[in-house]
Amino acid sequence: MPARRRGLDGLDLRILRLVAERPRSGLLEIARLLGVARGTVQARLDRMTADGVITGFGPELSPAALGYPVQAFTTLEVEQAAREHISRTLAAIPELLEAHIVTGPGDVWCRIAGRDNEHVQRVIDEMLKIPGVRRSTTVITLSTVVPHRLRPLAELPAPVLRMERKPTRGEESST
């Protein structure tokens, strides 16, 4: 779901920081730490959820701890007319952690988790059997330098949307 607003205010950021740092804390505890009413925290969380800022409250899972220590990034080249069918079929592969339609070489970028390299190969072979998938290119992850994160992005100032304005009569050039 696309977000319906841009940017967060200081209280929103402080609430999000505490929820991330203390995911097991209740709303009353978060409100106490922030010095605001519990209803304020609840209303802010509800609004951020409705606006598409917060997309989930579930625990973050480790593929390695679940028995899938190998991660790979696979780029698929696909027939454009088959993209919708390919997307639905990819969604049924449990080892596929995420997939994105991309620009540049290739069409669909996929992140895969596997038990070992052979398992990753079987997952890729399964993807290559999907009608409309032409070929794949894969790289295996050696280590994670920066893990998936969003809080630094949320803490940046909101982008300013600028409307292009037409010059007024006095501003028009006389050339």
Side-chain angles (χ1 to χ4, degrees):
M1 169 192 357
R4 288 188 281 279
R5 71 167 162 167
R6 294 183 187 269
L8 304 169
D9 68 17
L11 181 57
D12 289 338
L13 289 171
R14 291 186 356 248
I15 290 170
L16 289 176
R17 190 175 301 119
L18 275 175
V19 169
E21 291 169 357
R22 301 167 175 242
R24 300 178 119 193
S25 292
L27 293 180
L28 193 57
E29 174 68 6
I30 290 170
R32 185 187 67 72
L33 291 168
L34 293 172
V36 298
R38 187 203 60 78
T40 300
V41 173
Q42 181 68 61
R44 293 291 187 114
L45 288 170
D46 289 347
R47 190 175 77 225
M48 287 188 279
T49 301
D51 288 348
V53 174
I54 296 175
T55 58
F57 289 96
E60 294 181 23
L61 305 176
S62 163
L66 295 173
Y68 298 86
V70 179
Q71 287 193 53
F73 295 96
T74 297
T75 303
L76 302 176
E77 291 180 18
V78 304
E79 294 172 15
Q80 298 303 308
R83 268 194 353 219
E84 190 173 314
H85 167 73
I86 292 167
S87 297
R88 280 194 311 273
T89 307
L90 287 173
I93 300 172
E95 299 90 344
L96 180 71
L97 304 179
E98 60 185 298
H100 305 270
I101 294 176
V102 297
T103 62
D107 302 302
V108 181
W109 178 85
C110 305
R111 185 166 67 109
I112 301 168
R115 292 184 295 276
D116 52 36
N117 288 351
E118 292 76 23
H119 183 215
V120 169
Q121 180 63 57
R122 286 192 299 278
V123 173
I124 294 166
D125 290 344
E126 186 177 344
M127 294 189 319
L128 288 169
K129 290 178 186 173
I130 300 170
V133 175
R134 293 187 190 135
R135 67 183 304 269
S136 70
T137 305
T138 302
V139 294
I140 301 288
T141 301
L142 299 177
S143 64
T144 300
V145 179
V146 178
H148 178 77
R149 63 195 183 137
L150 290 171
R151 207 163 81 206
L153 185 63
E155 292 172 353
L156 287 175
V160 176
L161 299 177
R162 296 175 194 245
M163 300 286 288
E164 197 168 307
R165 147 181 110 78
K166 293 181 180 179
T168 62
R169 257 186 208 198
E171 294 175 328
E172 291 177 354
S173 65
S174 57
T175 51

